[in-house]
Structures are given as structure tokens and as C-alpha cells.
């Protein structure tokens, strides 16, 4: 049950990261998403690849607050997070 909830969170946060590359979102939304992904990454103690994807996604969210990251980076990391969320439902 918890894996499915965290997978749904991944789907939402990955979608927000892709939308961030297309739209101008508030810094508060980006900060909330960054904190959520960083907390999720430390639940796995950074021992597996999925936790590292969450960690990198959180760092990308944090960097996107201060820097104008290329669209392709946000899009690729967003797709990886969405893919991880889809696989948590199987």
C-alpha cells in the first residue's frame, strides 16, 4: 500500500518537473517538491538506484529555483521519476 502511495507521489512530482520545463511555476511549489523528493530519497538511505533518482530529482528542483536549467534536463529527470512511479504499481 505504501509503495503505491509513494509511486503516485512520484507520478505527480515527475509531472510537475515536466511542467516546470514548460511553464513558470512558483518557487514555493518547487521547494515543496524538492523537499518531498529529498525525504523520499533518504527513506531508501540512498542504497538503491531508485533512491538516487529521487535525490537527483530533488537537487534538480532545488537548482531550478536559483538557476534557469535547460529544458532537456528537467524533461529527462521528470521522465525517469514518472517511470519509477509507474513501475511501483506493478
Amino acid at each position: 500500500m505504501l509503495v503505491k502511495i509513494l509511486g503516485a507521489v512520484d507520478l505527480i512530482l515527475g509531472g510537475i518537473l515536466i511542467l516546470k520545463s514548460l511553464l513558470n511555476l512558483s518557487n514555493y511549489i518547487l521547494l515543496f517538491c524538492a523537499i518531498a523528493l529529498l525525504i523520499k530519497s533518504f527513506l531508501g538511505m540512498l542504497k538503491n538506484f531508485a533512491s538516487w533518482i529521487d535525490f537527483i530529482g530533488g537537487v534538480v528542483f532545488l537548482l531550478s529555483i536559483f538557476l534557469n536549467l535547460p529544458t532537456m534536463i528537467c524533461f529527462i529527470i521528470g521522465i525517469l521519476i514518472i517511470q519509477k512511479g509507474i513501475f511501483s504499481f506493478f
Side-chain angles (χ1 to χ4, degrees):
M1 178 74 175
L2 182 63
V3 174
K4 293 187 188 298
I5 292 171
L6 292 176
V9 169
D10 279 338
L11 288 173
I12 293 168
L13 294 178
I16 290 173
L17 189 57
I18 290 174
L19 282 177
K20 187 266 170 231
S21 64
L22 301 173
L23 302 173
N24 189 12
L25 296 176
S26 169
N27 287 341
Y28 296 114
I29 293 172
L30 297 176
L31 184 64
F32 176 77
C33 295
I35 291 171
L37 277 177
L38 289 174
I39 288 173
K40 257 181 89 257
S41 71
F42 290 121
L43 286 176
M45 299 292 199
L46 298 174
K47 291 183 181 178
N48 55 9
F49 185 67
S51 294
W52 280 102
I53 291 175
D54 284 339
F55 182 75
I56 292 171
V59 169
V60 166
F61 268 116
L62 281 177
L63 287 177
S64 67
I65 293 172
F66 302 109
L67 303 173
N68 190 10
L69 293 177
T71 304
M72 203 57 153
I73 291 175
C74 294
F75 191 76
I76 290 172
I77 300 297
I79 292 295
L80 285 174
I81 293 172
I82 287 174
Q83 179 184 6
K84 193 173 77 73
I86 289 172
F87 282 133
S88 68
F89 287 111
F90 295 112

